[in-house]
Each structure stands twice: as C-alpha cells, then as structure tokens.
Amino acid sequence: MCEKSSIILKANSNTSGLKTIWCNSENKEIGSGTEIKVEPDKSTFYIVKEIDAYGCEKGDTVYVNLYEFKASIEGQSIICKGDSVKLKLHLSKADSLSFEWFPKTYILGNYKDSCIYVKPTSDELYKVIVTNPYGCSWEASYLVKVSDVQNQLVVDADPKQIVPGQKTQLTATFNSNWKYNWKPNDGSLSDSAIYNPIATPIKTTSYTVTIVDENGCTASATITIIVNDCAESVFIPNAFSPNNDSKN
C-alpha cells in the first residue's frame, strides 16, 4: 500500500462448510467470512483461520506493507534575479527511488536527481515526483521567489540643469527596507545614505545610487546633473527696440 487506506483481504479454500475467522497481529478476532475490509495504520500482518464442523482449524497469515513516505524540499526561498539556488530533497526513506522535477526550463543540469540547481527569472513553483520500485509516487513542491530590484529602482532630479551655486533635489525610489549609497560622495551631497539627498555640484556630475534590499539584492541607477556657466544661462539680445517696433 502506498498510503493509509482500506484494503480487502480474501480467503480461498477448497473445502466447503468451513467457518472463516480473521485476527489481527495480536491474535484478536476482527471479523469473519471469506472477505474482510481492513484499514492498517502501519505495516502489519493478519491471521486467517478456517474451522470445520469438528472444531479443527488451520490458519495462514497475510502481510500488508504500508509504504509510508515523506518528502520535503530545502533551499533559499528568495533569490536575486540572475542568481541560481540549490534545492535539496529530504527523504524519510533511503530506498531505491526515482525523481523528476518540474518545470524543466530553469533547471541547471540533471532534473532526475534528488538535488538540483535552478535559475528562475521570476517567481517559480518547483515540483518533484518521487517514485519507489513498487510504483508508489509522491509529490513535493517549493516556491522560489525572485527579487528584481533593478526593475523597481528609478532616479530623478529637479531640476536637471542648474548654474553654479544652485541646488537640485535627487530622488530614488523609496523603500523603507532598502539601504542607499550615492556616489560620488565628493561633498556636493547633503547626505549620501538617504533616498533623496540635495546636490550642489559645481560642474556637470553623474550621480549613481546603489541600493541593497532586505534580501541582499543590489541595483544601481544614474542621473546626470548639467551645470551651465552663467554666460550660457543668460540670454543677451544683440539688438534693442525701445518701443518694440523692431527699429532703433
């Protein structure tokens, strides 16, 4: 038996008129007749006795093997996008077993082993079917989540063009579980470890923020602040018309 369930036991005899008695492994009577339904909760044996009209009896035993089996999967439940993870199957029995994992698309190497490496690009539920030599099979599953922080990170600045001495507000996607690190940390930033520092660059500068999420996954994004010379920022007309008639 592959799992706990009921089973019909039958007794056959070449002699008619016999009384058939069934007993459990402790020799306690559990029923009578040529057939009996039992629900064993472990591997055990049953005794069948046949008694004739003179009280003579003969008996036999039948062994019921309940092949109980437990399987669980162990591995890192959250990975960074682009990383691989090892999934290991823990088994309650070390018998001769066969394995088959699904889906096969993101499995690296042999998908018929008790231990595999996977590299999913998004959240993926992995399943393994375990089969013993008697044809019994069991299934276990494990969800691997993929942290794609690069796709979540966006940076902006207001304004993106300034003149020397002017400030600009840098902003990265806010997440209370992220750690922030802005570079260059050259003194032009009000704070390099927050999501929204004030920048006061004296020349055109590209600022890069690197974040680390709660799973240790990292992402980076860059924004460039253009610093114009004052002469480039002021429009000086080359002609003047006092009454706006385009004539001096």
Side-chain angles (χ1 to χ4, degrees):
M1 297 175 61
C2 299
E3 60 184 10
K4 292 179 181 179
S5 61
S6 61
I7 185 173
I8 302 294
L9 302 180
K10 297 181 180 182
N12 296 316
S13 175
N14 295 324
T15 304
S16 61
L18 298 178
K19 182 180 179 181
T20 304
I21 301 295
W22 293 89
C23 299
N24 61 17
S25 58
E26 297 175 350
N27 205 30
K28 292 181 180 180
E29 185 175 333
I30 58 174
S32 61
T34 57
E35 293 186 4
I36 188 173
K37 181 179 179 181
V38 294
E39 296 183 14
D41 58 3
K42 62 181 179 180
S43 295
T44 186
F45 65 89
Y46 295 92
I47 304 168
V48 59
K49 301 176 182 179
E50 291 186 331
I51 306 173
D52 64 16
Y54 303 101
C56 300
E57 70 175 53
K58 62 178 179 179
D60 200 356
T61 59
V62 57
Y63 183 76
V64 178
N65 183 13
L66 179 58
Y67 194 97
E68 294 182 282
F69 182 87
K70 293 181 181 179
S72 61
I73 301 173
E74 180 184 83
Q76 189 174 334
S77 60
I78 303 177
I79 63 172
C80 306
K81 187 170 184 178
D83 289 352
S84 60
V85 62
K86 178 182 179 181
L87 300 183
K88 184 177 181 180
L89 190 61
H90 287 275
L91 308 169
S92 61
K93 291 180 181 290
D95 295 352
S96 177
L97 302 168
S98 63
F99 314 94
E100 188 165 7
W101 292 79
F102 302 91
K104 300 181 177 68
T105 309
Y106 304 111
I107 296 176
L108 307 177
N110 186 9
Y111 61 85
K112 292 189 175 183
D113 202 349
S114 61
C115 178
I116 62 170
Y117 286 86
V118 298
K119 190 177 181 180
T121 57
S122 59
D123 295 356
E124 192 71 58
L125 181 66
Y126 288 93
K127 297 180 180 181
V128 59
I129 297 176
V130 183
T131 306
N132 72 3
Y134 309 106
C136 300
S137 62
W138 299 264
E139 182 179 297
S141 61
Y142 194 80
L143 177 63
V144 177
K145 294 184 177 181
V146 178
S147 177
D148 186 6
V149 288
Q150 187 63 62
N151 194 43
Q152 303 173 40
L153 180 61
V154 178
V155 294
D156 198 5
D158 185 25
K160 294 182 178 66
Q161 294 190 43
I162 61 173
V163 295
Q166 188 179 358
K167 298 179 180 180
T168 180
Q169 174 72 66
L170 304 181
T171 306
T173 303
F174 175 73
N175 188 309
S176 59
N177 295 317
W178 291 0
K179 293 181 180 180
Y180 298 84
N181 184 23
W182 290 86
K183 290 185 178 182
N185 190 10
D186 56 2
S188 65
L189 295 171
S190 61
D191 191 332
S192 63
I194 60 176
Y195 82 98
N196 59 343
I198 300 294
T200 315
I202 60 175
K203 61 181 180 179
T204 297
T205 304
S206 294
Y207 291 97
T208 299
V209 61
T210 299
I211 66 97
V212 181
D213 74 0
E214 64 273 26
N215 303 303
C217 303
T218 63
S220 298
T222 300
I223 192 166
T224 299
I225 305 302
I226 298 175
V227 180
N228 295 316
D229 292 336
C230 290
E232 297 173 340
S233 303
V234 178
F235 173 69
I236 302 177
N238 57 12
F240 178 71
S241 175
N243 58 1
N244 292 324
D245 62 356
S246 299
K247 298 179 181 180
N248 290 331

